[in-house]
Amino acid sequence: MIIDSHGHFTTAPPALGSWRERQLRAFEESGARVSPDELHITDDEIKNAVEQGQLKLQLERGTDLGLFSPGAGKMAHHYGDEHTSLDWSRVSNDLIARVCGLFPGRFVGVCQLPQSPGDALPASVRNSVTELERCVEESDFVGCLLNPDPSDGYWQAPPLTDRVYYPLYEKLVELDVPAMVHVAMSRNPALQGTCAHYLNGDTAVFMQLCMSDLFTDFPDLKLILPHGGGAVPYHWGRYRGVMQDQGRPPLEEAVLRNVYFDTCVYHRRGMQLLVDVIPAGNILFASEMIGAVRGVDPETGHRFDDTTYLLDSLDTLGDTDRRAVYGGNALRVFGRLAGVLKNVESNYPKEAGK
Amino acid sequence: MIIDSHGHFTTAPPALGSWRERQLRAFEESGARVSPDELHITDDEIKNAVEQGQLKLQLERGTDLGLFSPGAGKMAHHYGDEHTSLDWSRVSNDLIARVCGLFPGRFVGVCQLPQSPGDALPASVRNSVTELERCVEESDFVGCLLNPDPSDGYWQAPPLTDRVYYPLYEKLVELDVPAMVHVAMSRNPALQGTCAHYLNGDTAVFMQLCMSDLFTDFPDLKLILPHGGGAVPYHWGRYRGVMQDQGRPPLEEAVLRNVYFDTCVYHRRGMQLLVDVIPAGNILFASEMIGAVRGVDPETGHRFDDTTYLLDSLDTLGDTDRRAVYGGNALRVFGRLAGVLKNVESNYPKEAGK
């Protein structure tokens, strides 16, 4: 079974974006709220968006299941206040739940959290706990996105290892749900989004984790660093050396029991480095589709984000490791996933039999 | 000839740090200035610091020459005002000039610039032009460090492609001097310095350059991205794909005519990726010593930052490319270096004969 652990609903029907615009404009102009009930999207609109987008690519590439979250950049946590983020998260997550319901066994939900920067941070963490629980218990979501920079490009929040986030980590562990650490948009003209802020977020958080004892406090917490872990595998020696210089435990002990890297690396040599450096048990297959890069690589004739093609082209990954990367690890890291799939199978036996 | 294009005077005599502390305290308390003349360091103190540090490692590793700059983290451009940064730059650069004078043919200077964030940015760029010219013309410096985040961890400045920096680029081209893009310290608790902010700075600026037409305006400008270019070579496919998606020219055309990557990557597989992905003509040998990582890698028995060992262990780098990476490229990129070395040789024939 091939599980794509990182995909976003970047092709959502335009009504979603219009609702968000109305929400932000109303709040800016008068502090007013726009009700989530004012969003109207039909099942056919959702089906069309997914069938022409993510599902089409799933079928082309032979992947079985996508762990599916709202558009990451669109989370844009810096807008409005914590109530703004809460409404927007509910709207976005409910749409993901509808996708999962319309395509049972094809998509399972990963939720956005209603984070907010600045003074609203503690309240927004409490709201995140509530929204996470709602998505997991009511809609069978199996993971969440956790933004390490809710200021969206100015790094105004404390590190993810700060105690302000501990209520969220307690809930993640209790529910057996991992968080994918994923920044949202960048509103900083110095930091482009997908090729700078995204990768920098991954790199920054890895180092936060290296320098903290978060996993001593939460030995069962599981975090995923997307985009191949930013700069981390390429600079693995630097991290090993700094840990040693500072008298910290080795990376295997300090972070690799709790941290996973996805395979969103869009060329063969980069992918080779990832599987050479990071233990296979810490790698989750993912494509980030439809996401940062959409075109076809003229050097290969495959889309840049067709990471099945890249992984299959590596001859150093043995069969056992390959199965772990493609699906076995995801079933372990997303602790509720097997149960959710079993439930889908009993409700929709044909779909699950694919 | 082996030229290490990235080294810092991180072992400077303690009097330098004490002067800086007095400078910052006086400014904070009363806006007063501390004269650069109040710094007293003897030649013997300098010799001792270098002979026990960078020179010792140079001799051990068989490198011939270090391009030598002040401690990058210590530049700390966010403190005080533009006058604070100017005094501190002069003090730091004059100390580098003394090192180069005491060890002719062993070290050639790369200067720090008196940058400042916020409203002081334009004035600080003008001061940078003056200080660059002073270092190059009076002390035979051949390069400079350019900080893309003078706010030191909060990314408050415009991208390096902004026109506010154009006077500096005009001077760099006029003098035939490259800039190494190098952040200073991070005062942001979310962004550790050497393993997060440093790498993120490299990655962020690469993307700034990809998305701009800076090199159309300055076809002869040469910029160096240290630390192996941050996350860039590992994500080369992502950058190729985004350039194609956005209808921009290919990377070879858009950036590789003007941008160079150094070899500060501290494990063999990372180094292999660098030389596999980046054309040899765009790679400059460097170790960043004595810098981010100081210990010995127990897996190799060599120091993590002994990048000669790592480069020599790669069997895919041919002799011609190896010579280019080790020194030929540096002589081309640092356009004044050959002349400076010739001058040293005629003044100190024995030293230069090493």
Side-chain angles (χ1 to χ4, degrees), chain B residues 47-328:
Chain B
K47 278 186 188 169
N48 191 50
V50 174
E51 283 169 354
Q52 301 306 311
Q54 292 79 0
L55 185 63
K56 184 161 167 275
L57 292 174
Q58 267 195 19
L59 296 171
E60 278 176 23
R61 298 178 189 179
T63 57
D64 298 294
L65 173 71
L67 302 187
F68 206 50
S69 54
K74 296 276 184 355
M75 298 190 298
H77 288 117
H78 74 278
Y79 285 120
D81 61 7
E82 69 268 29
H83 195 124
T84 309
S85 271
L86 184 57
D87 282 348
W88 174 231
S89 295
R90 284 177 177 159
V91 161
S92 302
N93 293 331
D94 286 350
L95 192 63
I96 295 295
R98 288 178 66 192
V99 171
C100 300
L102 288 166
F103 299 96
R106 278 285 166 189
F107 296 97
V108 170
V110 167
C111 63
Q112 138 183 358
L113 298 175
Q115 297 177 246
S116 285
D119 292 343
L121 180 62
S124 83
V125 172
R126 288 192 294 276
N127 288 344
S128 295
V129 170
T130 311
E131 177 63 4
L132 173 71
E133 198 158 30
R134 184 184 79 89
C135 291
V136 169
E137 297 194 339
E138 293 180 14
S139 304
D140 279 344
F141 282 45
V142 297
C144 67
L145 304 180
L146 174 59
N147 181 357
D149 175 25
S151 72
D152 290 338
Y154 291 99
W155 291 93
Q156 301 284 322
L160 285 184
T161 51
D162 192 276
R163 286 184 173 266
V164 70
Y165 289 105
Y166 273 30
L168 178 63
Y169 299 146
E170 285 164 13
K171 186 54 73 177
L172 286 168
V173 169
E174 179 197 318
L175 293 172
D176 194 12
V177 161
M180 176 175 278
V181 174
H182 200 309
V183 295
M185 67 176 290
S186 166
R187 61 183 164 125
N188 187 331
L191 300 175
Q192 186 271 354
T194 53
C195 292
H197 189 47
Y198 277 28
L199 306 178
N200 288 1
D202 308 332
T203 307
V205 170
F206 184 78
M207 199 55 193
Q208 293 174 7
L209 298 172
C210 283
M211 292 293 117
S212 87
D213 295 315
L214 179 66
F215 299 128
T216 306
D217 290 347
F218 295 98
D220 296 325
L221 180 63
K222 288 173 282 189
L223 299 179
I224 300 158
L225 295 180
H227 323 108
V232 172
Y234 177 45
H235 285 286
W236 199 243
R238 176 176 284 256
Y239 294 99
R240 285 183 54 236
V242 162
M243 292 298 271
Q244 180 178 293
D245 278 1
Q246 302 207 3
R248 302 272 309 155
L251 294 169
E252 290 71 16
E253 194 182 315
V255 289
L256 286 183
R257 291 174 185 165
N258 304 81
V259 171
Y260 301 84
F261 297 77
D262 82 11
T263 65
C264 295
V265 179
Y266 296 155
H267 63 144
R268 205 179 68 82
R269 289 191 188 280
M271 189 70 88
Q272 181 80 61
L273 178 84
L274 174 68
V275 305
D276 283 349
V277 170
I278 304 297
N282 292 81
I283 302 177
L284 301 178
F285 170 71
S287 69
E288 195 187 352
M289 61 108 169
I290 296 173
V293 182
R294 304 190 179 204
V296 170
D297 185 347
E299 290 184 6
T300 66
H302 291 258
R303 284 175 192 258
F304 281 99
D305 68 0
D306 185 355
T307 47
T308 51
Y309 166 75
L310 294 172
L311 267 173
D312 287 345
S313 75
L314 304 183
D315 52 16
T316 55
L317 194 65
D319 283 348
T320 307
D321 285 347
R322 191 176 299 271
R323 278 195 300 274
V325 169
Y326 266 129

Side-chain angles (χ1 to χ4, degrees), chain A residues 115-178:
Chain A
Q115 297 178 246
S116 285
D119 292 343
L121 180 62
S124 82
V125 172
R126 288 192 295 276
N127 289 344
S128 296
V129 170
T130 311
E131 176 64 3
L132 174 70
E133 200 158 28
R134 185 184 78 90
C135 291
V136 169
E137 299 194 339
E138 294 179 14
S139 304
D140 279 344
F141 281 45
V142 297
C144 68
L145 304 181
L146 175 59
N147 181 357
D149 175 24
S151 73
D152 291 336
Y154 291 99
W155 290 93
Q156 301 284 320
L160 285 185
T161 52
D162 192 276
R163 286 184 172 268
V164 71
Y165 290 104
Y166 274 29
L168 178 63
Y169 299 145
E170 286 163 12
K171 185 55 71 179
L172 286 168
V173 170
E174 180 197 318
L175 294 172
D176 193 12
V177 161

Side-chain angles (χ1 to χ4, degrees), chain A residues 60-306:
Chain A
E60 277 176 24
R61 297 176 189 180
T63 57
D64 298 295
L65 174 70
L67 302 185
F68 205 50
S69 54
K74 296 276 183 355
M75 298 190 298
H77 288 116
H78 74 278
Y79 285 119
D81 61 9
E82 69 268 29
H83 195 123
T84 310
S85 271
L86 184 56
D87 283 347
W88 174 230
S89 295
R90 285 178 178 158
V91 161
S92 302
N93 293 332
D94 285 350
L95 192 62
I96 295 295
R98 287 179 67 192
V99 171
C100 300
L102 288 167
F103 299 95
R106 278 286 165 188
F107 297 97
V108 170
V110 168
C111 64
Q112 137 182 359
L113 297 175
Q115 297 178 246
S116 285
D119 292 343
L121 180 62
S124 82
V125 172
R126 288 192 295 276
N127 289 344
S128 296
V129 170
T130 311
E131 176 64 3
L132 174 70
E133 200 158 28
R134 185 184 78 90
C135 291
V136 169
E137 299 194 339
E138 294 179 14
S139 304
D140 279 344
F141 281 45
V142 297
C144 68
L145 304 181
L146 175 59
N147 181 357
D149 175 24
S151 73
D152 291 336
Y154 291 99
W155 290 93
Q156 301 284 320
L160 285 185
T161 52
D162 192 276
R163 286 184 172 268
V164 71
Y165 290 104
Y166 274 29
L168 178 63
Y169 299 145
E170 286 163 12
K171 185 55 71 179
L172 286 168
V173 170
E174 180 197 318
L175 294 172
D176 193 12
V177 161
M180 175 174 279
V181 174
H182 200 309
V183 295
M185 67 176 290
S186 166
R187 61 184 164 125
N188 187 332
L191 299 176
Q192 187 272 353
T194 53
C195 292
H197 190 46
Y198 278 27
L199 305 177
N200 288 0
D202 309 332
T203 308
V205 170
F206 184 78
M207 198 57 191
Q208 293 174 7
L209 299 172
C210 283
M211 292 293 117
S212 88
D213 294 315
L214 178 66
F215 299 127
T216 305
D217 290 346
F218 295 98
D220 296 324
L221 180 63
K222 290 173 281 190
L223 299 179
I224 300 157
L225 296 180
H227 324 107
V232 172
Y234 177 46
H235 286 285
W236 199 244
R238 175 177 286 254
Y239 294 99
R240 286 182 55 235
V242 161
M243 292 299 269
Q244 179 178 293
D245 279 1
Q246 302 207 3
R248 302 273 308 156
L251 294 169
E252 289 72 16
E253 194 181 315
V255 289
L256 286 183
R257 291 174 186 166
N258 304 82
V259 171
Y260 301 84
F261 297 76
D262 82 11
T263 64
C264 297
V265 178
Y266 296 154
H267 62 142
R268 206 180 67 82
R269 290 190 187 281
M271 189 70 88
Q272 180 80 61
L273 178 85
L274 173 69
V275 304
D276 284 349
V277 169
I278 304 299
N282 292 81
I283 302 177
L284 302 178
F285 170 70
S287 69
E288 194 187 353
M289 61 109 169
I290 298 174
V293 182
R294 305 191 178 203
V296 171
D297 184 347
E299 290 185 6
T300 66
H302 291 257
R303 284 176 191 257
F304 281 99
D305 68 1
D306 184 356

